[in-house]
Amino acid sequence: MTIERSTLMTKFPKAIFGDLKRAAHKKASEGVALVDLSLGSPDLPPAELVRNELSKQAALADSYGYTLGGTDKFNEAVANYYKRRSHVTLDPQTEIIQTMGSQEGLVHLPMALCNKGDVVLTTDPGYVAYEAGINMAQAEAYYMALTPENDFLPDFNAIPEDICKRAKLLILNLPGNPVPAMPSISFFDKAIQFAKKHDIIILHDAAYSEFYFEGDRPISFLEADGAMDLGIEINSLSKSFSLAGARIAYIAGNAELVQIIGELKSNLDYGTFRPIQDAACVALDNAEEITESLREVFSKRHHLLSNGLKEIGWDVVPSSGGMFVYAKYPQQQFNDIDFVYHVIEKMGVVMVPGSIFGQSGKNYVRIALVQPEELIQEALNRLATL
């Protein structure tokens, strides 16, 4: 028989991460000690009290049934976390819903809210899952370029009026991936004013909310006046609490939007393993202690890498948070894809080309802060010899 991909599959290009891994593995097989700064997968383990809770709950015989969604305990832990950290009051029953990681939520969410032909406003460059979700919903993406001239924030005034009229959803991500631009209430206010004018839903991806190196607490989109009227925020425990493999996240915000997403999810999954939920509750309940040490580690890495790249002639995008450094390399005779493979081959350092996140990412690379300082310094030493 003839086996063919669906037409929809043509909209999902092969991800480059597998090719980067193969190139890196080949170099490692030659005896080169790699410094892998590609995937944004935390190298720090979850806090011991979180691991202990997961282990304890997993050992119980009655822990293995369907959960069918977020437990009351988990939803209440999320609500308490928002109250303490961002001064936002949420109803655990109606304004919070659990997802199996933010990737799952981001990819499925447009299907719950958009029809074929609707426009989704997303950033260029932007996280690759956004485009995947837009394609799943058969919607159309309009890319808002993130440029130095606008501090790598989307310019709503530059969006054509006909696009605004067709837009159904606006996706924001601050601190961002790959560009670590930082959130502010003033920017969120502008986004809400724009969305209200054009009747657009806002989705804020807050995956890196605890990765701030200035100020005393994370800024939530839901803090802004009017955010709950038209928006939602998605966040996971993958980055801030080193639970990437556990696959647990949540969407919080407007109750009507949460209900619609819940109706879709009731047809997709049977909920996250309860011991993971219980461990997540411990993480959220102890967020202040856990994330303070996280920020201390990542702030040092961030400053070491940013300053080191500047010293060897790289153009580093200014940032005061996030899990990545986004920079333009001086060897502009290479396009960014050729450059990262060149660096793997010659230096044994693994990064991600900016163009996989959008056209505006050409000639940039994304570098993840996922190695100890001594290995980041080793990467800098190697890059200085290019």
Side-chain angles (χ1 to χ4, degrees):
M1 64 177 292
T2 301
I3 299 176
E4 297 181 352
R5 292 175 176 82
S6 68
T7 303
L8 180 62
M9 279 298 295
T10 64
K11 295 182 178 293
F12 297 99
K14 181 181 176 182
I16 196 173
F17 294 102
D19 291 338
L20 289 174
K21 184 176 181 179
R22 280 185 286 274
H25 180 75
K26 178 177 179 295
K27 196 63 183 174
S29 70
E30 299 171 3
V32 176
L34 295 175
V35 183
D36 192 344
L37 303 171
S38 57
L39 285 179
S41 181
D43 61 309
L44 303 177
E48 185 177 4
L49 71 169
V50 176
R51 302 197 309 270
N52 289 343
E53 181 69 12
L54 177 57
S55 177
K56 181 180 74 174
Q57 296 298 330
L60 300 178
D62 62 353
S63 291
Y64 290 82
Y66 292 127
T67 60
L68 300 179
T71 62
D72 289 344
K73 181 180 177 180
F74 176 80
N75 286 4
E76 288 166 3
V78 172
N80 290 335
Y81 170 77
Y82 265 78
K83 186 68 173 179
R84 295 192 329 268
R85 301 297 279 149
S86 301
H87 310 311
V88 172
T89 300
L90 295 168
D91 184 331
Q93 299 301 315
T94 63
E95 296 176 334
I96 297 168
I97 187 167
Q98 188 182 99
T99 69
M100 301 179 78
S102 58
Q103 182 98 349
E104 180 264 307
L106 290 166
V107 172
H108 287 141
L109 186 141
M111 290 194 295
L113 302 176
C114 299
N115 294 314
K116 183 177 181 179
D118 283 341
V119 169
V120 178
L121 306 174
T122 186
T123 57
D124 173 12
Y127 182 44
V128 294
Y130 305 151
E131 187 167 18
I134 294 167
N135 288 331
M136 288 283 285
Q138 300 185 67
E140 298 177 17
Y142 178 85
Y143 299 100
M144 305 174 292
L146 304 181
T147 64
E149 294 75 21
N150 206 45
D151 297 324
F152 291 94
L153 295 169
D155 181 2
F156 303 124
N157 293 327
I159 303 172
E161 187 63 26
D162 64 315
I163 295 295
C164 293
K165 290 179 180 178
R166 296 174 54 210
K168 185 71 174 292
L169 179 65
L170 164 64
I171 302 176
L172 300 173
N173 173 213
L174 298 163
N177 174 14
V179 188
M182 297 299 291
S184 69
I185 292 299
S186 61
F187 175 75
F188 286 147
D189 287 341
K190 291 178 183 177
I192 292 168
Q193 291 169 12
F194 168 78
K196 284 187 174 181
K197 178 180 178 181
H198 299 287
D199 199 22
I200 299 171
I201 298 163
I202 296 179
L203 163 64
H204 180 237
D205 178 4
Y208 305 95
S209 61
E210 289 283 0
F211 286 80
Y212 60 92
F213 308 141
E214 297 176 2
D216 60 357
R217 64 179 180 84
I219 295 176
S220 167
F221 164 69
L222 300 181
E223 289 182 61
D225 289 341
M228 293 289 292
D229 297 334
L230 50 68
I232 46 179
E233 188 163 70
I234 186 167
N235 200 349
S236 81
L237 284 83
S238 295
K239 315 298 185 181
S240 299
F241 300 98
S242 300
L243 289 169
R247 311 315 303 141
I248 185 164
Y250 56 84
I251 295 172
N254 179 275
E256 186 176 359
L257 294 173
V258 166
Q259 180 181 347
I260 294 170
I261 296 161
E263 291 170 6
L264 173 64
K265 282 188 60 61
S266 69
N267 291 278
L268 297 177
D269 66 70
Y270 286 94
T272 295
F273 187 37
R274 186 180 61 76
I276 291 176
Q277 297 200 44
D278 288 341
C281 292
V282 171
L284 291 166
D285 290 344
N286 293 274
E288 290 82 351
E289 174 189 349
I290 293 171
T291 60
E292 182 177 355
S293 59
L294 169 97
R295 282 187 295 279
E296 182 178 352
V297 170
F298 277 84
S299 179
K300 290 178 180 177
R301 295 178 181 182
H302 174 270
H303 286 104
L304 173 63
L305 183 56
S306 297
N307 293 334
L309 289 175
K310 291 174 187 176
E311 289 174 4
I312 61 174
W314 289 47
D315 183 8
V316 178
V317 173
S319 64
S320 58
M323 196 177 183
F324 307 100
V325 167
Y326 189 65
K328 182 179 285 187
Y329 49 88
Q331 295 80 10
Q332 291 288 290
Q333 69 269 28
F334 295 98
N335 67 47
D336 56 293
I337 293 177
D338 290 341
F339 178 73
V340 298
Y341 285 112
H342 175 73
V343 172
I344 292 173
E345 178 61 29
K346 298 298 182 182
M347 304 294 161
V349 178
V350 191
M351 302 173 286
V352 179
S355 62
I356 73 162
F357 302 101
Q359 291 300 305
S360 295
K362 287 183 176 180
N363 299 324
Y364 286 85
V365 292
R366 190 197 77 175
I367 310 173
L369 302 169
V370 293
Q371 297 288 356
E373 290 177 67
E374 57 268 25
L375 287 182
I376 291 175
Q377 184 61 59
E378 174 62 23
L380 287 167
N381 294 342
R382 297 183 192 182
L383 293 172
T385 65
L386 274 172

